[in-house]
Amino acid sequence: MSLSKPVYSLLGVYLEQLFNHPVRTKSITSSVLAASANYTAQRIAGHKKINQESVIAYGLFGLIFGGSVPHYFYQTVERLFRHDLKFRRLFQFLSERLVFAPFYQLLSLYFLSIFEMNSHEVAVANLKKLYWPLLRTNWQYLSIPVIINMTYVPPMLRTVTMSIVSFIWVVYIAQWRRRLQDKQAGGADGKNTK
């Protein structure tokens, strides 16, 4: 089955934008994918009414951080580990898993909460509850896609590739965060009724 001419044209325009304006294109792509993932997570959870603030928060996070931070990280890793370095891919993988993933997980959990109009205290409390369980899960399930991305995907496309993988990850995070918020709301209601 071949792709139609409009699809090829659209793909060509996208790749041209990616080459000429990488951070902007990756940020917009990440924003659309993150907002779509949050919307999808809410639909999967069976919400009758979509929490638009949460969708906007995920889209805003993707726009501000989702394209730029990974773009500069992958650029730095490419420069830091020369092509002639023995075990180059291993060092790139370890830097992604042990430096980037913990930092980006912290950044995402904190700012998603802030963008949802929570206070700093609530954002930090959510971060304390979710950070380690999500990071361990990230290491467990996203390490194989990271290996594939760093081994087989050209550097220019790594951020976009991980944004697509992140769609599934964001659906997972959004559901996990929503369960925590529902549990906290239920706990607060229970305290108020006593």
Side-chain angles (χ1 to χ4, degrees):
M1 182 176 187
S2 65
L3 293 174
S4 65
K5 187 171 180 160
V7 173
Y8 275 123
S9 297
L10 186 61
L11 183 60
V13 169
Y14 181 79
L15 291 174
E16 180 182 339
Q17 289 298 310
L18 191 60
F19 182 77
N20 292 326
H21 310 285
V23 175
R24 179 179 71 189
T25 306
K26 291 172 185 178
S27 295
I28 292 169
T29 302
S30 180
S31 178
V32 169
L33 287 171
S36 300
N38 183 273
Y39 177 85
T40 302
Q42 290 186 51
R43 283 293 182 200
I44 289 171
H47 291 232
K48 304 256 188 264
K49 184 178 180 207
I50 297 298
N51 180 344
Q52 293 179 354
E53 290 83 12
S54 185
V55 172
I56 291 169
Y58 275 78
L60 188 59
F61 180 83
L63 186 64
I64 295 172
F65 300 110
S68 59
V69 173
H71 170 81
Y72 291 115
F73 169 76
Y74 286 122
Q75 249 186 3
T76 302
V77 165
E78 279 299 309
R79 282 190 218 133
L80 190 61
F81 301 112
R82 299 179 325 270
H83 287 278
D84 60 345
L85 180 68
K86 192 173 184 179
F87 303 115
R88 176 176 183 254
R89 295 290 182 215
L90 176 64
F91 290 130
Q92 287 179 326
F93 171 75
L94 291 175
S95 65
E96 199 284 344
R97 298 284 71 205
L98 300 177
V99 177
F100 179 74
F103 168 74
Y104 198 71
Q105 190 71 65
L106 184 133
L107 185 76
S108 64
L109 288 172
Y110 179 79
F111 278 102
L112 284 171
S113 191
I114 293 297
F115 291 159
E116 288 178 336
M117 307 309 260
N118 291 316
S119 67
H120 168 73
E121 290 76 20
V122 170
V124 170
N126 286 338
L127 185 62
K128 286 179 181 177
K129 289 178 185 169
L130 292 174
Y131 181 74
W132 283 113
L134 278 175
L135 184 59
R136 282 193 304 267
T137 306
N138 179 314
W139 285 336
Q140 183 178 2
Y141 293 111
L142 294 184
S143 291
I144 298 295
V146 168
I147 289 171
I148 293 168
N149 191 37
M150 299 202 102
T151 305
Y152 299 109
V153 176
M156 183 175 94
L157 297 174
R158 285 186 185 151
T159 300
V160 175
T161 302
M162 285 314 292
S163 289
I164 294 167
V165 170
S166 293
F167 178 89
I168 297 165
W169 182 243
V170 168
V171 168
Y172 180 76
I173 290 174
Q175 287 184 310
W176 196 330
R177 289 181 71 243
R178 189 69 50 224
R179 274 187 258 133
L180 175 68
Q181 289 169 349
D182 291 346
K183 185 177 176 182
Q184 288 175 338
D189 291 344
K191 288 178 186 173
N192 292 338
T193 58
K194 287 184 180 180

